[in-house]
Amino acid sequence: MRIFLISCLVFLVLLSCSSERIIVNKFPNYIEIQKGDSVCISWEFLNAKFVRVSGYDYDFNPSDSLWLKPFSSLRLDVVAYGGGNQQITQSAYILVNSKENQSVEPKKTIQRGPRFVEDIFSYKNTQKTNFYSGFSDAPISNVSRLKILRLSEDTNFDSLSVDFVLLDENGNFCYEVSKHSSDIKLQIEQKCAGKFSSTEYLNLAKSFKIDERIDVHFIIDYSVLNDIPQIKQDIVESIKFLDIGDRVSLNFFGVRVANVIPLERSDKFLWDLEAFEFPRSNELSSVFYSLCSLIDNLDGETNTKVVLITNRMDNSSINYTLEDVISKAKSKKITINCITFGNEVSPYVYKYLSSKTGGNFYHFPWKLGEIGKSLVEVILSSKYYFGAKIKFSKKELKCKDLDIKASVSFGNISFSDEYSFPIQDRTFYTNYQAVSLFEHSDTTIKDVFLPTIDNLANLLITHRNLTLELIGTASIGESYSDPVKLSLERALAVQKRLVSKGVYPSQIRTKGIGISKPIYPNEDDETSSLFNRRVEIRWLLPEILPFTIVVDTVSSEEQAERKVEFWEKLGYKSYYDRLFSRNQMMYKVVLWGYRTYEEAERDAVRVSRKFKKNAIVE
């Protein structure tokens, strides 16, 4: 009996292995009808046994059809089942147009989603804006401005590509201006402060570019969703300008990146996005780690655009840096477009990231309603633009920044724009790197932060020479208890987790600083309080430049900004940090970039003598 059962099992395994693959011989991916009309969905699957259709509880034949009379647009999932647990899913998109709308307004060729794109250049924006928003075939007399979108280095580092548009007052790209006159001149001037300048004259008519196919990967910080509830609709409106052959994916990130809609055709992406509910999560923002993880999973063989949307600086990537992101993106020729907002963001960091990878950059301190306009501009300018290539010699490599001025002129009419491109690499100060946030009066590490701490443990185990300090903090709302003790217990909780994973105790120092370093001094909501209850890390390594000098303490942010500007003009690296003391918010101005305590101490003595200050090393 046992031998018989084994034989049957082997026979079934062999049968499943020998099952022929299901082939889609016929299937309608997209159908468009008017409201009130019926539609027939028919299919043919080779090597299938039966078919199931969403919404129906019985089996259909591999070659079959279904009549529907939908009242609204819908997606119908059809699953074919074969031998050996095989199955294949196809989705039919049925778009139902309103007859009333059809009679009032003729069908536009700009209509997107599953509809075929016939002529995008027929779309013209009618509202005044500085953003690239539509198209116009008007002559140069209608142009109101030239806008440089981005610069990018050639892979051989011997040329620069300058991408720009000529816009009318409503943000329409006047793409055919060169056809109206052969006397239009395009010139691009390069300047390097105090070193040289050069000018090239180019043919505007030959500079019009169309990128036939692009892949767009949206990667959005979870924290964005709390401030911009309309971000989903903003994405929808921008995707409408993509062709049916373009592909899109959607990703969110906090301490880890999550791919919620995989890379797929733009029409299918729109349907899936409409049905997708955006998640809510309060997490740290591992911007650099998440970008690196996303780029690692991209093939880089297509014209690939990443669109980062965030209102925070990187605060939890630990062992991933801005340089890692730029290096990975360049190696795969991937463009990173950064859209940032709020006053917690240092726009210089994200502008540098966009510039070095050939992307567009936008920062909105307050006007969050314009984020949707910037998304439309990113999509449109990724596919339709003027592009000019200029020579890039070795003498430019000696410049800190290369200033580019693009000009278009015709008789007395002239338009120009300037762009400063970073040649030399930059180092930016990271305000803090945290591994965990905590609930009120609690020292328990949430599960969401364990992978970050474990990643830190692996790094410390692999490199036994690494040492760090864990700094616990408390929220201002916890000041009624013993905030220093509470913050120390949080640091000790993280230390305990690291040691349990195999890290040597000698590699870790711990400290609690209570409420003295809040990120959010007002704590007007739970999110701000949560971020004030954290454990930061401070690397104690010379190459990390861990030592700083406190040179000033002032009472307002405006004063702190002026002090930072003063020290930077003298050649120091400087920033300011919030300091909560005696129920009052103060701002300490810091000089940074010191490898050792002794090096910082020597400079502190010089600063104290020269500027008559009590400079203190931290």
Side-chain angles (χ1 to χ4, degrees):
M1 183 66 180
R2 182 180 177 185
I3 295 174
F4 174 74
L5 290 173
I6 293 174
S7 300
C8 290
L9 180 61
V10 171
F11 173 75
L12 290 173
V13 170
L14 292 174
L15 182 63
S16 66
C17 293
S18 62
S19 299
E20 293 186 86
R21 185 170 59 89
I22 301 173
I23 298 173
V24 182
N25 195 43
K26 174 185 175 184
F27 193 85
N29 292 107
Y30 169 75
I31 298 175
E32 186 172 353
I33 63 172
Q34 289 190 1
K35 192 171 184 179
D37 291 346
S38 298
V39 61
C40 179
I41 305 294
S42 59
W43 59 81
E44 184 179 351
F45 296 96
L46 302 181
N47 305 321
K49 292 186 175 181
F50 62 93
V51 168
R52 290 277 179 88
V53 179
S54 57
Y56 295 85
D57 58 359
Y58 54 87
D59 296 343
F60 290 83
N61 294 320
S63 180
D64 212 333
S65 62
L66 176 65
W67 279 91
L68 299 170
K69 189 175 182 179
F71 291 98
S72 60
S73 300
L74 60 87
R75 186 182 83 179
L76 197 70
D77 292 327
V78 179
V79 185
Y81 294 86
N85 295 323
Q86 283 193 80
Q87 67 180 63
I88 185 171
T89 302
Q90 294 289 293
S91 297
Y93 298 94
I94 305 171
L95 187 66
V96 180
N97 287 318
S98 170
K99 286 185 176 180
E100 293 76 17
N101 291 339
Q102 289 284 332
S103 60
V104 173
E105 182 181 356
K107 179 180 175 181
K108 296 178 181 178
T109 54
I110 189 62
Q111 289 172 331
R112 296 301 188 193
R115 304 174 221 191
F116 290 98
V117 178
E118 297 172 9
D119 182 16
I120 190 173
F121 300 111
S122 66
Y123 180 78
K124 190 173 183 179
N125 186 47
T126 57
Q127 300 296 320
K128 192 170 183 177
T129 179
N130 289 326
F131 290 93
Y132 178 6
S133 306
F135 297 90
S136 173
D137 58 0
I140 195 168
S141 58
N142 283 46
V143 175
S144 65
R145 63 177 303 209
L146 183 152
K147 183 173 188 177
I148 296 178
L149 301 163
R150 57 192 169 256
L151 268 70
S152 55
E153 295 172 305
D154 185 81
T155 52
N156 297 323
F157 301 102
D158 58 2
S159 64
L160 279 175
S161 293
V162 184
D163 297 340
F164 64 96
V165 285
L166 295 171
L167 303 177
D168 66 15
E169 65 175 6
N170 294 329
N172 295 304
F173 177 23
C174 301
Y175 62 98
E176 284 196 318
V177 292
S178 59
K179 292 183 179 180
H180 296 281
S181 174
S182 59
D183 296 328
I184 297 177
K185 295 182 176 63
L186 166 64
Q187 67 180 57
I188 298 180
E189 184 179 4
Q190 304 178 59
K191 287 185 179 180
C192 181
K195 291 185 174 65
F196 70 90
S197 66
S198 62
T199 303
E200 290 189 44
Y201 295 90
L202 302 107
N203 189 321
L204 183 64
K206 294 182 179 179
S207 65
F208 180 54
K209 309 291 183 183
I210 298 179
D211 288 350
E212 295 295 340
R213 174 186 163 183
I214 62 173
D215 285 352
V216 181
H217 300 269
F218 290 98
I219 179 165
I220 304 173
D221 196 323
Y222 283 124
S223 63
V224 167
L225 306 179
N226 298 319
D227 292 333
I228 315 179
Q230 81 279 6
I231 189 66
K232 176 178 175 179
Q233 189 57 37
D234 288 341
I235 294 173
V236 168
E237 292 303 315
S238 67
I239 292 303
K240 289 179 179 179
F241 290 96
L242 286 175
D243 294 324
I244 202 167
D246 298 323
R247 298 185 298 176
V248 193
S249 81
L250 179 62
N251 309 270
F252 290 98
F253 72 92
V255 292
R256 287 291 183 269
V257 63
N259 176 234
V260 294
I261 300 182
L263 185 65
E264 59 190 15
R265 222 171 56 185
S266 61
D267 57 344
K268 188 175 188 301
F269 177 87
L270 268 177
W271 285 88
D272 289 342
L273 183 63
E274 296 267 358
F276 181 75
E277 290 295 328
F278 278 18
R280 293 287 185 272
S281 181
N282 272 332
E283 297 185 21
L284 293 161
S285 299
S286 61
V287 182
F288 302 151
Y289 166 83
S290 300
L291 284 171
C292 285
S293 297
L294 175 63
I295 293 169
D296 284 341
N297 292 320
L298 305 181
D299 55 31
E301 295 177 0
T302 55
N303 190 355
T304 304
K305 315 290 181 183
V306 170
V307 182
L308 167 70
I309 307 175
T310 183
N311 60 348
R312 290 198 181 134
M313 301 304 298
D314 181 282
N315 56 29
S316 65
S317 286
I318 310 300
N319 57 331
Y320 287 83
T321 65
L322 178 63
E323 290 73 23
D324 294 329
V325 179
I326 293 171
S327 176
K328 286 177 180 289
K330 281 187 170 183
S331 68
K332 292 188 174 182
K333 300 180 182 178
I334 292 172
T335 295
I336 301 178
N337 303 274
C338 296
I339 300 175
T340 65
F341 64 93
N343 57 8
E344 295 173 39
V345 167
S346 171
Y348 304 107
V349 175
Y350 291 111
K351 184 177 182 181
Y352 179 77
L353 172 59
S354 295
S355 296
K356 296 300 281 187
T357 60
N360 299 10
F361 168 74
Y362 307 87
H363 178 63
F364 305 99
W366 309 111
K367 296 180 180 179
L368 305 189
E370 295 191 336
I371 289 177
K373 298 176 184 177
S374 69
L375 283 170
V376 170
E377 181 168 285
V378 166
I379 297 300
L380 285 175
S381 68
S382 295
K383 292 183 67 67
Y384 313 97
Y385 54 92
F386 287 131
K389 186 169 287 189
I390 57 176
K391 293 179 182 178
F392 183 63
S393 63
K394 289 185 178 180
K395 62 183 179 180
E396 277 94 335
L397 295 175
K398 298 178 182 179
C399 299
K400 180 180 179 182
D401 297 292
L402 187 64
D403 296 323
I404 300 294
K405 181 178 180 181
S407 303
V408 169
S409 58
F410 172 65
N412 295 326
I413 302 174
S414 181
F415 309 97
S416 64
D417 193 16
E418 297 182 1
Y419 190 105
S420 184
F421 184 78
I423 301 296
Q424 295 181 1
D425 293 340
R426 301 283 199 277
T427 301
F428 297 96
Y429 180 76
T430 301
N431 193 27
Y432 74 98
Q433 287 282 293
V435 292
S436 184
L437 304 176
F438 295 85
E439 294 298 327
H440 191 276
S441 300
D442 195 11
T443 61
T444 305
I445 302 170
K446 294 182 179 180
D447 290 345
V448 69
F449 301 114
L450 293 179
T452 301
I453 298 173
D454 294 347
N455 176 53
L456 178 61
N458 292 332
L459 181 65
L460 291 168
I461 292 168
T462 305
H463 302 86
R464 293 295 188 180
N465 63 316
L466 295 180
T467 58
L468 58 78
E469 185 175 51
L470 297 172
I471 305 171
T473 68
S475 64
I476 297 171
E478 294 171 321
S479 58
Y480 64 88
S481 57
D482 188 343
V484 174
K485 180 183 177 183
L486 178 62
S487 62
L488 177 60
E489 288 176 352
R490 287 168 176 162
L492 291 172
V494 175
Q495 181 191 40
K496 182 179 179 181
R497 175 75 182 189
L498 291 171
V499 172
S500 72
K501 291 294 180 178
V503 178
Y504 294 156
S506 59
Q507 292 178 268
I508 310 168
R509 299 180 191 174
T510 56
K511 181 170 70 174
I513 60 173
I515 63 174
S516 64
K517 192 182 176 184
I519 297 172
Y520 299 94
N522 295 328
E523 290 191 0
D524 49 7
D525 56 28
E526 176 52 28
T527 298
S528 58
S529 298
L530 181 66
F531 272 77
N532 287 343
R533 303 188 293 265
R534 65 190 183 279
V535 169
E536 298 181 7
I537 65 170
R538 180 189 185 194
W539 292 105
L540 302 175
L541 299 168
E543 56 269 27
I544 306 298
L545 307 175
F547 295 99
T548 60
I549 304 172
V550 179
V551 290
D552 283 296
T553 302
V554 294
S555 58
S556 73
E557 203 156 1
E558 291 76 16
Q559 288 176 300
E561 288 174 349
R562 288 197 295 269
K563 292 285 187 181
V564 167
E565 185 177 353
F566 167 79
W567 290 105
E568 287 187 339
K569 283 182 177 179
L570 294 176
Y572 291 94
K573 295 178 180 178
S574 181
Y575 69 95
Y576 69 87
D577 212 350
R578 297 180 178 91
L579 176 67
F580 193 77
S581 177
R582 298 177 182 177
N583 294 322
Q584 184 178 1
M585 185 59 62
M586 304 295 288
Y587 300 87
K588 65 178 182 179
V589 180
V590 180
L591 309 182
W592 68 283
Y594 298 98
R595 292 170 54 84
T596 64
Y597 182 89
E598 292 73 21
E599 182 183 340
E601 181 65 28
R602 285 194 297 271
D603 226 4
V605 172
R606 285 195 290 268
V607 168
S608 297
R609 289 174 178 172
K610 185 174 180 178
F611 299 97
K612 296 186 172 31
K613 291 182 176 294
N614 183 23
I616 301 172
V617 177
E618 287 189 344

